[in-house]
Amino acid sequence: MSSLVKDNPAKRRFEILVDGALAGFASYDQPQGEVLVFTHTVVDPQYRDMGVGSELVRRALDHVRARGGRAVPRCSFVAAFIDAHPEYATLVIDEP
């Protein structure tokens, strides 16, 4: 199983492709400077319980970090991921 996570700014979301098929996405509000407010995460049912959602969020947050950005985890899945992976806590800010 190969995967690719990419930012799709036109749709304001990070997408994960598994073997070339869209498997899920993490939506964000209109960026406010370098801040992304993550609002919703969706994983196609056929890819659930395979770690696809966690990989999506991990790589999206890595992308935010690489750009020197910050994140607001309004989405409960993103917030739970950060709680379970405190190495991402330094990216979190309160609502801008």
Side-chain angles (χ1 to χ4, degrees):
M1 179 172 87
S2 68
S3 64
L4 169 71
V5 174
K6 63 180 185 170
D7 188 9
N8 184 339
K11 291 188 176 182
R12 292 196 311 244
R13 66 188 194 181
F14 284 90
E15 300 172 339
I16 186 165
L17 305 173
V18 175
D19 295 330
L22 181 64
F25 58 88
S27 299
Y28 53 83
D29 283 343
Q30 179 67 35
Q32 298 175 17
E34 293 300 315
V35 177
L36 287 184
V37 178
F38 286 92
T39 57
H40 191 60
T41 302
V42 174
V43 174
D44 187 286
Q46 75 181 31
Y47 296 101
R48 290 190 184 146
D49 300 320
M50 297 172 60
V52 170
S54 292
E55 182 177 355
L56 168 62
V57 172
R58 177 187 324 278
R59 291 174 61 193
L61 291 172
D62 287 344
H63 184 86
V64 170
R65 178 179 282 151
R67 291 193 316 218
R70 304 300 291 271
V72 177
R74 197 180 297 156
C75 165
S76 60
F77 187 86
V78 174
F81 179 88
I82 293 169
D83 285 346
H85 300 88
E87 64 271 24
Y88 291 100
T90 58
L91 295 176
V92 176
I93 63 168
D94 291 329
E95 294 283 331

